Amino acid sequence: MRELEAAGTPEMPTRETKEGEGGAAASEGEGEDRLVASTERAWYIVHCYAGSEHKVKHSLEQRIASLGMQHKIFNIVVPEEEEIEIREGKKRPVRRRIYPGYILVEMIMDEDSWAVVRFTPGVTGFVGMGNQPTPLRPEEVQAIFKRMESKAPRIRVTFKPGQKVRITEGPFADFVGIVDEIDPDKAKIRVLVSFFGRETPVELDFTQVEKI
């Protein structure tokens, strides 16, 4: 968004604030570097260490409670979606972070609320121009939550064209072949197997093959 994702692979926001460098707070700047407060609640993108999103969320929730900032910081979300992972021929649901290293915070932006979020352990900065965090547009927020609430889990594709696999089910069980084509939307894979000296394409479900 601006854009956070592209072609199924999340793209990291690039307009990341530098207010944390050198330990300087936004409130210490002058002119354009000074934080412009807002009286409207909005969603902001916060960058944190990848893999620590839930830990940062918990730490921020504790800081909000202990500092009495519930009237300025309202919601913290780790954007995730459900995927179906296929491992050893079996499907299992998993939760995957849509934007690793980023969380969403709904808040009223001023120097106090900015400091509560920015100085939470694990947070490295807001996404924005200079020292001014940029709020997400309503349609961007809607798109993220729509993806999170999707009732059709995505299938995590772990196969690649040219990869050698073993067929585990069906008339070609135990045959070894080469992945020729993958259709993640239908959870289908086409494998080329050698049959009577000829390469024969076989269409299978993801659950019917395994990596070698």
Side-chain angles (χ1 to χ4, degrees):
M1 327 216 110
R2 288 180 276 274
E3 281 288 341
L4 280 181
E5 68 173 293
T9 300
E11 178 180 315
M12 299 305 178
T14 56
R15 299 189 302 169
E16 192 169 316
T17 181
K18 303 299 182 182
E19 89 285 315
E21 294 184 1
S27 59
E28 295 173 355
E30 294 295 337
E32 293 184 353
D33 291 331
R34 189 173 182 82
L35 178 72
V36 178
S38 172
T39 58
E40 300 292 330
R41 59 193 289 171
W43 287 93
Y44 294 85
I45 308 170
V46 176
H47 186 265
C48 61
Y49 296 118
S52 67
E53 296 88 354
H54 285 284
K55 184 178 180 180
V56 169
K57 178 179 184 289
H58 180 67
S59 296
L60 179 51
E61 288 171 340
Q62 289 184 319
R63 281 173 60 80
I64 292 167
S66 64
L67 296 171
M69 292 294 289
Q70 296 92 334
H71 63 298
K72 290 186 179 180
I73 306 175
F74 311 104
N75 293 294
I76 307 141
V77 172
V78 178
E80 292 179 319
E81 64 183 345
E82 187 171 296
E83 280 190 339
I84 299 299
E85 181 182 66
I86 299 175
R87 183 175 294 179
E88 297 178 353
K90 296 180 180 180
K91 296 180 180 180
R92 67 185 186 98
V94 295
R95 297 293 296 176
R96 185 185 74 89
R97 288 181 289 278
I98 300 175
Y99 309 116
Y102 294 88
I103 63 174
L104 303 182
V105 180
E106 186 186 24
M107 59 190 289
I108 293 174
M109 181 63 67
D110 63 18
E111 292 185 4
D112 293 334
S113 60
W114 176 92
V116 171
V117 176
R118 177 61 187 88
F119 297 118
T120 296
V123 169
T124 59
F126 282 87
V127 170
M129 297 297 290
N131 288 329
Q132 186 63 44
T134 303
L136 286 169
R137 297 190 299 270
E139 60 269 25
E140 293 175 324
V141 176
Q142 185 178 11
I144 292 174
F145 280 96
K146 183 178 180 180
R147 180 169 173 179
M148 290 175 63
E149 295 165 2
S150 173
K151 295 181 180 179
R154 299 185 177 208
I155 294 179
R156 179 181 293 181
V157 179
T158 58
F159 301 107
K160 297 179 181 179
Q163 186 176 43
K164 186 178 292 187
V165 294
R166 178 181 286 107
I167 299 173
T168 59
E169 296 179 13
F172 290 92
D174 293 327
F175 273 65
V176 172
I178 301 297
V179 176
D180 179 52
E181 194 172 291
I182 300 166
D183 187 342
D185 294 330
K186 295 181 180 179
K188 295 288 186 179
I189 185 170
R190 188 168 71 182
V191 178
L192 299 178
V193 297
S194 180
F195 191 62
F196 290 112
R198 296 182 179 181
E199 274 197 339
T200 302
V202 181
E203 188 176 78
L204 303 157
D205 291 335
F206 284 170
T207 57
Q208 294 179 295
V209 295
E210 64 181 11
K211 296 179 182 179
I212 295 179

